[in-house]
């Protein structure tokens, strides 16, 4: 069982997540940009957490927000969930979701909600194994 999960609070901790998050968010140019963007999002309630490997290096990251919605009530929305290429299939992603689900229950949330790009078929298989269901389509119009 992986229980080495930390909330990235310092700039150094946030920056250490860049090596993992760049796989999911390739538009981020470097760790400094990640720190800047996470700090801005933290003002809106964003939390970045990571599961560390034996050396203490982030092996998987999850970014989330606590929300209250008309449709579902209190939910935790997952913005980002990614495991490093070398950490995949080792339980890090599942450990982060289990940790987040426990947190959600402890805080009285009714659900954990996330979107996943249509091209991420391996991620979809993972979410199904974790007992997530497709509940809607997400639409986006760039303007």
């Amino acid at each position: 069982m992986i229980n080495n999960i930390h909330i990235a609070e310092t700039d150094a901790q946030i920056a250490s997540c860049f090596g993992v998050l760049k796989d999911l968010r390739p538009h981020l140019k470097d760790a400094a940009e990640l720190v800047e963007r996470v700090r801005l999002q933290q003002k809106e309630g964003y939390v970045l957490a990571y599961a560390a490997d034996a050396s203490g290096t982030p092996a998987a990251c999850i970014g989330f927000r606590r929300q209250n919605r008309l449709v579902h009530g209190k939910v935790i929305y997952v913005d980002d969930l990614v495991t490093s290429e070398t950490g995949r299939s080792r339980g890090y992603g599942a450990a982060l979701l289990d940790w987040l689900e426990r947190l959600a229950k402890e805080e009285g949330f009714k659900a954990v909600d996330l979107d996943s790009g249509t091209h991420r078929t391996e991620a979809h298989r993972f979410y199904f194994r974790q007992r997530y269901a497709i509940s809607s389509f997400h639409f986006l119009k760039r303007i």
Side-chain angles (χ1 to χ4, degrees), residues 30 39 58 76-77 94-95 125 141:
D30 56 27
R39 289 297 188 205
I76 291 187
Y77 180 77
R125 281 192 268 282
K141 182 177 183 180

Side-chain angles (χ1 to χ4, degrees), residues 17 55 83 138:
C17 293
S55 72
T83 301
H138 178 92

